[in-house]
Amino acid sequence: MHWLMSVLHVDSRTELLWVIFGFAAQGMFTGRFLVQWIASERARDSVVPVAFWYFSLAGGMMLLSYAIYRADPVFILGQALGVLIYVRNLWLIHAKRRREA
């Protein structure tokens, strides 16, 4: 573990856990592109599945948490705006489904 901490330039176990969380958050956020790519390949058309927005929301919220921990105002602003957009898209999708039901 000491080797990993030195490679990642962290001074404490808590900091190491936050860095690992940050990598997991980035992985979740990147996963949305894989979901979209697979859905588009299957449809043979460019599509944005609902799962894309859920991955976006989960990854965005995780990255926002990490940004807040890091106290990075640029990162916080970017992720907070993204989270609002992801929530709004999911709201619109579910409102449309309710109207059509």
Side-chain angles (χ1 to χ4, degrees), residues 20-86:
I20 290 169
F21 178 81
F23 279 122
Q26 190 60 53
M28 176 68 74
F29 199 70
T30 301
R32 72 195 190 132
F33 294 115
L34 295 174
V35 165
Q36 193 273 331
W37 178 32
I38 291 167
S40 292
E41 288 296 329
R42 287 182 178 163
R44 296 191 176 270
D45 191 16
S46 181
V47 297
V48 180
V50 175
F52 174 89
W53 297 111
Y54 281 108
F55 270 84
S56 298
L57 181 59
M61 289 178 68
M62 291 170 71
L63 286 170
L64 178 58
S65 299
Y66 185 72
I68 291 168
Y69 172 76
R70 290 288 185 192
D72 183 327
V74 174
F75 197 13
I76 291 168
L77 179 63
Q79 290 305 316
L81 181 59
V83 166
L84 291 174
I85 292 167
Y86 311 141

